[in-house]
Amino acid sequence: MGKRAGSRRGRNTLPRNSSVAETDRPKPIHCWAMKIGGDWKINGDLPDEALVISLQGLVNRSGPQLYLLYPTKGYDYTNTEAIMAFYHKYHGVDHKTIKTIPEALVKFRKYIRGYIVYDPKLRDSIVLSFTAAGIMDGVVVAPEQIPMMDSLGFKMLVDFRGKFEGMDTTQIYQWAYNHYWNRCSHKALVYLGGAEGDIMQPAIADLGVADRLFFYDLSTEPEAGTQYKLVSMLYGKMRPFSFLFGWHSYMKDTEDSYVTLASHYALRVEGLNTLPNMSFHRWIKLPPGYKFHANHSDLKNPKLEKKIYVSFIQSDGLGLGAWLRPGRGKIPYAWEVNMYWYHYAPGILEFYYHQASPNDFFIGSLSGPSYMYPKAMPPKYLPTALKMASKLMKDLDLNMFEIYDASDSLNRDLPKSIVDDYFKYIPNAIGFVNGYGPAHTFAVKDGLPFISFDYYLPPTRKVDEVVGDLKELATLNPKRPYFLCFHVREYTDVKGVIDIMRHLGPEFKIVPLDVFMKLAGMDPTFKTRYESTKQPVQLFSR
Amino acid sequence: MSLNLFCPLSLVVAFMLFGNSFLYAQSQGFAGTWRFDESSSRNVAAAFESGDVRCELHIIPEGSNRMVIEDLADTYVGWRKTELNVDLNGPESTSVWPKGDLPSFSFEAVAIGRDQVVKTKAVEGKDRSAFDLTSYFKVLVSQGTYNIVLRSHYQLSANGDTLTVTETRNSREYNEPAVYVFQRVK
């Protein structure tokens, strides 16, 4: 197991990895908190959840007033309580609890012009009711909540019940476009996808309502015909490098098709639809002079041995996965940083930088300043995207960068021209990692490695199978040192990874990612390889 | 012509006349569409991060003792087909595989390069409901390439509805081999 050195620590009373005097801390913030989280079913708890989330968007427009506490288990983001505790300790955020929806509606009455009624039989009407909520300053309600709203004196702003009968999804969003687009802010869009069917998890909608964004649920698969044309038209109306929040629909299209289409318009994808409290976080400012300090190893004289060097990166960004679960800090581990939070939610990043143990390393991601596919992006935008990423890395004290491109669904590799662009436009990186599952792009330039993942740990693989896989990789790659970059899906916690590594012999050595990069650059035993000239693999229709 | 000589010769003639058709019948026994049965399989992965999902085998008799085994993975954008030419008890046969992930490996750090030639030797089992297939090919790994010898045992169930493929390869130590189970699609 590796050791790291050279971490920086702040004073005891300050968040670790920060460098700011306590007197510079902002003034106390008094806010309200509500618990949220049920079954997210359209005919179950969603009416309450959607109402509260839309309300949160309205009231947080003018300040951090309403924070939602999501479940600490069984939800994508289990960190809402931990972040609030951090805000309380280091940002002077105090909260009182609101227990009921009527209580919240009364308390925040002045922010609510009325309500929008969606049609529970039509999912798309729920999606576009969030658009309407943003531009009309209303909350989203189900029909059964109308009596409550009326009894509290709120007026109905729109009623979507029966409004879209006989219309298909494309026609509904075309209608929304015709009626609402010009009243929306166009700095971002919200794809309210994710879980589908009778489930909807619209946590990101607070941000969309607060910013009066346009919501949609349109397939990004070219085969989707009119839906694809309409969503392409929407993307085409956005300025390059605008944000796409939310997430693709698990029943309509794929992550690959979504990010590919977004990248074609040089848009920045930021997931997920389940990401909570974004309308609140942006109000939590970093203290004046605050600088992010990530952990860095001492790379002056690393010892190169004839070992199998293993370095771990957890997938899918901060906020998801194993950070709050057992084992973190026991072995060197790298975490993908959602770099856009530097502008959108710096307090969350501060939380993670503060909590980072000496064994927690950060890596910039993903492919650009946000999640983008470089091969799908118009070439004229790639240098700008990489410069933006490079700037964010400097701001966040990051010196390693991760790339993933699934725009070619059968190939995760990059051509030499794009690899060269990463070296050129992110000169502050000491190394790059490519892929999600394993890929085969490897290069070295001026002692800096560009490495692909050699192993991906899915949630379903058993310990003995993984051990067998790793031993087989050691056979398949017989030269030593062998550099085995290991991507861990966020469902596996660090303790699980430690359990796997215990079955391997002393030839396997876990090192921090920056040490791994340094050593790989010193003795690149991997073979330089790029995406070969495009030769489409013949596929057959199902 | 003496009777002593006639008997062996007649057997040879009989074999020449009917033997091939018997082998043909055997390959017919394997012939068909086989759906991957993940729950019955062991030490294998059905789905990959790339989106490929192991789905079906198509075994297509090609006359005499030859057949083609099509291994189909479902991808986001269509079927990806790996074809293997098999000549039961015949000489070594060759196939060309498409580049990409390799279904036989349960992880994705190995891949097939472009136009990879696979050499195959197939030997039928005694009970004729099984055969052993040895495949020789090269895979891409991060340090270059590696020569794989993949041994696959194809076994039909007594009723002919289940096909079990047991695999080992030279690059891996096994506590238990990988066992792929397929059910016949009727």
Side-chain angles (χ1 to χ4, degrees), chain A residues 469 472 527 535 540 542, chain B residues 74-75 79 142 169 171-172:
Chain A
D469 294 345
E472 185 171 16
K527 183 177 171 61
Q535 185 201 41
F540 304 85
R542 295 182 179 94
Chain B
D74 195 4
T75 74
W79 294 109
S142 65
R169 55 185 178 265
S171 54
R172 191 172 181 102

Side-chain angles (χ1 to χ4, degrees), chain A residues 404 409 412 436-437 440 442 454 461 465 469 472 476-479 526-527 529 532 535 539-542, chain B residues 49-50 74-79 81 105-111 114 141-144 146 169 171-172:
Chain A
Y404 174 56
S409 64
R412 306 301 191 239
Y436 191 97
H440 303 277
F442 291 87
D454 240 10
R461 203 96 176 113
E465 292 172 336
D469 294 345
E472 185 171 16
L476 292 163
N477 296 280
K479 290 180 216 160
F526 44 83
K527 183 177 171 61
R529 190 184 282 137
S532 55
Q535 185 201 41
L539 293 173
F540 304 85
S541 57
R542 295 182 179 94
Chain B
E49 185 281 323
S50 61
D74 195 4
T75 74
Y76 286 134
V77 286
W79 294 109
K81 187 163 67 176
F105 285 73
S106 294
F107 57 98
E108 298 161 281
V110 288
R114 191 195 306 176
V141 294
S142 65
Q143 291 185 347
Y146 194 91
R169 55 185 178 265
S171 54
R172 191 172 181 102

Side-chain angles (χ1 to χ4, degrees), chain A residues 1 310 312 331 333 455-473 484 486-489 491-506 508-510, chain B residues 172:
Chain A
M1 304 233 172
V310 184
F312 302 103
I331 56 172
Y333 223 71
Y455 196 74
Y456 163 73
L457 179 60
T460 51
R461 203 96 176 113
K462 296 173 190 155
V463 170
D464 58 335
E465 292 172 336
V466 179
V467 170
D469 294 345
L470 297 176
K471 286 181 177 174
E472 185 171 16
L473 279 171
L484 199 172
F486 191 126
H487 206 195
V488 185
R489 192 69 199 263
Y491 305 116
T492 301
D493 57 37
V494 181
K495 181 177 176 300
V497 172
I498 294 170
D499 289 343
I500 290 167
M501 297 309 292
R502 280 192 179 127
H503 291 80
L504 297 165
F508 287 81
K509 182 171 183 176
I510 302 170
Chain B
R172 191 172 181 102

Side-chain angles (χ1 to χ4, degrees), chain A residues 13-35:
Chain A
T13 53
L14 283 172
R16 198 150 45 74
N17 295 344
S18 73
S19 60
V20 64
E22 195 166 18
T23 51
D24 290 335
R25 286 280 152 189
K27 291 177 182 173
I29 294 169
H30 304 290
C31 70
W32 298 89
M34 286 186 79
K35 281 190 183 284

Side-chain angles (χ1 to χ4, degrees), chain A residues 275-331:
Chain A
L275 179 63
N277 290 315
M278 289 300 284
S279 64
F280 186 98
H281 289 305
R282 60 178 158 190
W283 292 99
I284 306 300
K285 302 295 183 192
L286 300 173
Y290 180 94
K291 289 196 183 303
F292 285 98
H293 290 303
N295 289 323
H296 299 293
S297 305
D298 181 356
L299 301 177
K300 281 179 187 162
N301 295 301
K303 185 181 172 190
L304 188 61
E305 301 173 88
K306 298 292 182 189
K307 295 274 188 183
I308 298 164
Y309 288 107
V310 184
S311 204
F312 302 103
I313 302 175
Q314 192 214 256
S315 75
D316 288 30
L318 288 171
L320 294 171
W323 185 274
L324 296 172
R325 298 208 302 265
R328 186 175 60 81
K330 298 274 174 47
I331 56 172

Side-chain angles (χ1 to χ4, degrees), chain A residues 160-407:
Chain A
F160 286 141
R161 286 176 294 176
K163 172 97 180 159
F164 304 109
E165 273 182 20
M167 293 169 70
D168 64 22
T169 291
T170 306
Q171 290 168 326
I172 291 168
Y173 289 107
Q174 184 66 56
W175 181 94
Y177 174 80
N178 294 343
H179 290 81
Y180 295 155
W181 178 263
N182 288 339
R183 296 164 68 186
C184 289
S185 156
H186 301 144
K187 64 180 182 182
L189 293 172
V190 182
Y191 189 166
L192 209 52
E196 292 263 353
D198 63 343
I199 302 250
M200 180 183 279
Q201 294 183 297
I204 191 62
D206 68 312
L207 179 67
V209 169
D211 284 356
R212 299 181 175 87
L213 304 180
F214 190 87
F215 290 72
Y216 64 99
D217 183 358
L218 292 160
S219 173
T220 57
E221 294 277 6
E223 294 77 16
T226 57
Q227 287 193 37
Y228 176 76
K229 282 183 185 170
L230 182 57
V231 73
S232 299
M233 186 271 284
L234 295 177
Y235 289 3
K237 291 196 169 288
M238 306 298 289
R239 291 167 61 96
F241 302 109
S242 298
F243 286 98
L244 299 182
F245 293 113
W247 197 235
H248 81 95
S249 160
Y250 296 130
M251 287 177 73
K252 275 189 177 172
D253 56 11
T254 64
E255 177 179 333
D256 300 0
S257 69
Y258 173 42
V259 183
T260 298
L261 186 64
S263 300
H264 181 71
Y265 293 96
L267 301 176
R268 300 171 62 173
V269 171
E270 290 294 354
L272 295 172
N273 59 297
T274 48
L275 179 63
N277 290 315
M278 289 300 284
S279 64
F280 186 98
H281 289 305
R282 60 178 158 190
W283 292 99
I284 306 300
K285 302 295 183 192
L286 300 173
Y290 180 94
K291 289 196 183 303
F292 285 98
H293 290 303
N295 289 323
H296 299 293
S297 305
D298 181 356
L299 301 177
K300 281 179 187 162
N301 295 301
K303 185 181 172 190
L304 188 61
E305 301 173 88
K306 298 292 182 189
K307 295 274 188 183
I308 298 164
Y309 288 107
V310 184
S311 204
F312 302 103
I313 302 175
Q314 192 214 256
S315 75
D316 288 30
L318 288 171
L320 294 171
W323 185 274
L324 296 172
R325 298 208 302 265
R328 186 175 60 81
K330 298 274 174 47
I331 56 172
Y333 223 71
W335 307 83
E336 299 164 357
V337 174
N338 319 39
M339 299 196 299
Y340 83 107
W341 283 348
Y342 180 73
H343 297 294
Y344 254 86
I348 308 181
L349 288 175
E350 188 190 3
F351 164 79
Y352 284 105
Y353 275 64
H354 165 62
Q355 285 207 337
S357 78
N359 265 329
D360 293 316
F361 293 80
F362 294 126
I363 177 169
S365 67
L366 186 61
S367 304
S370 296
Y371 184 15
M372 309 172 95
Y373 290 160
K375 289 192 289 188
M377 203 182 302
K380 67 178 179 180
Y381 291 123
L382 186 57
T384 305
L386 302 189
K387 286 175 189 172
M388 291 166 74
S390 176
K391 172 71 168 61
L392 284 166
M393 288 171 68
K394 283 178 190 161
D395 292 335
L396 293 168
D397 191 27
L398 305 173
N399 61 4
M400 297 172 283
F401 195 65
E402 186 177 329
I403 300 137
Y404 174 56
D405 189 319
S407 57

